[in-house]
Amino acid sequence: MENIRAMWLMIIAMACFATADGIIKFIAQSISKGQIMACMGGVGAIIFYLLCRRARTSVWSSLFFKPVLIARNIAEVIAALSIFTALTLAPLSSVAAIIQAVPLVITVAAAILLNEKVGLRRWAAVAIGFIGVLIIVRPDADGLDFALILALLGMLSLSIRDFASRLAPPEATTPLLSFYAFLGLIPAGLILSITSEGFQPIGVSTALHLLIMNVFALGGYFCVTKAMRIGEVSAVSPLRYTRLPFAALVGYVLFAEIPDMATLTGSALIIGAGLFVMLRESQIKRNETAI
């Protein structure tokens, strides 16, 4: 019963994230990306500060200066800036598909940096997933699409963030890590607005859209966190890929975007490879536990 509940929570989370991405793309037509980042950072920092206070976790501690957390926070800021910009320039489905390669990058990083054993079949799946990314990016004689380069940078930054989360000390709780991450978006967004994009007036309609975007983004974060806590990882994690059809639906409804064949083919390879890697890791862990 808990697994079923967790699976539904994960699906809801992916729908929330896809909707938040669509609203970001829509709002970016009216105000700067820096303003969106600062707003999201402010709301998120307040929410997670209150959660830390509720859990009696001090947010002002030496943990903030640990190299692994500094790396995580920097990666979070780079990911947000890259993905926000990519969303304004490229179709939602293309950006969402590239982001789904994060588990493949983490598998490679774990094998290289943590000496985790990765068998031939998982290496083959990772290679197939990366081929899917290349199909979506479509490098040609004219080079790479700038928007998709940013999506790649965002995906790699998210991979660094998630990998750093693995290495974070146990006392760095999820609300604390989230507080630091959202807090970093505030100065980054303000600096971006001051140095390049400027500040645009925020009307009532835009403010309402910002509020709705934050509700969906934080709601998705809550659902995915809850799902991972109450459900089995092997049952819940594969449902992360439902973000792709939701992104395609939001892109079509809001912007009349229709994924082309290259995006669909690349997405299928990324999803297949990611699912295989997740399920294979789960099988290996079950076998090790049985032994």
Side-chain angles (χ1 to χ4, degrees), residues 61-213:
S61 72
S62 59
L63 284 173
F64 183 81
F65 300 101
K66 285 189 174 294
V68 66
L69 295 192
I70 292 175
R72 185 185 188 279
N73 294 333
I74 292 173
E76 186 83 57
V77 170
I78 295 173
L81 177 58
S82 302
I83 292 172
F84 278 24
T85 306
L87 286 172
T88 64
L89 301 174
L92 281 175
S93 55
S94 297
V95 177
I98 291 172
I99 291 173
Q100 296 308 309
V102 167
L104 304 178
V105 176
I106 291 177
T107 297
V108 174
I112 296 174
L113 300 177
L114 300 181
N115 293 320
E116 289 189 9
K117 186 177 180 181
V118 177
L120 183 60
R121 283 178 286 184
R122 275 191 287 170
W123 279 119
V126 168
I128 291 171
F130 287 156
I131 290 172
V133 172
L134 287 175
I135 291 174
I136 295 173
V137 175
R138 282 163 283 192
D140 53 28
D142 297 324
L144 294 172
D145 186 308
F146 176 68
L148 297 182
I149 291 176
L150 288 174
L152 279 172
L153 177 60
M155 181 268 289
L156 292 172
S157 299
L158 287 177
S159 302
I160 294 171
R161 181 202 67 182
D162 290 352
F163 190 74
S165 298
R166 284 191 179 191
L167 304 179
E171 59 269 25
T173 63
T174 297
L176 183 62
L177 290 176
S178 302
F179 170 73
Y180 288 155
F182 279 99
L183 190 66
L185 296 182
I186 301 174
L190 293 176
I191 291 171
L192 177 63
S193 295
I194 293 170
T195 57
S196 62
E197 297 183 327
F199 291 93
Q200 306 299 324
I202 300 177
V204 175
S205 177
T206 302
L208 180 60
H209 288 135
L210 282 169
L211 176 62
I212 295 172
M213 178 269 291

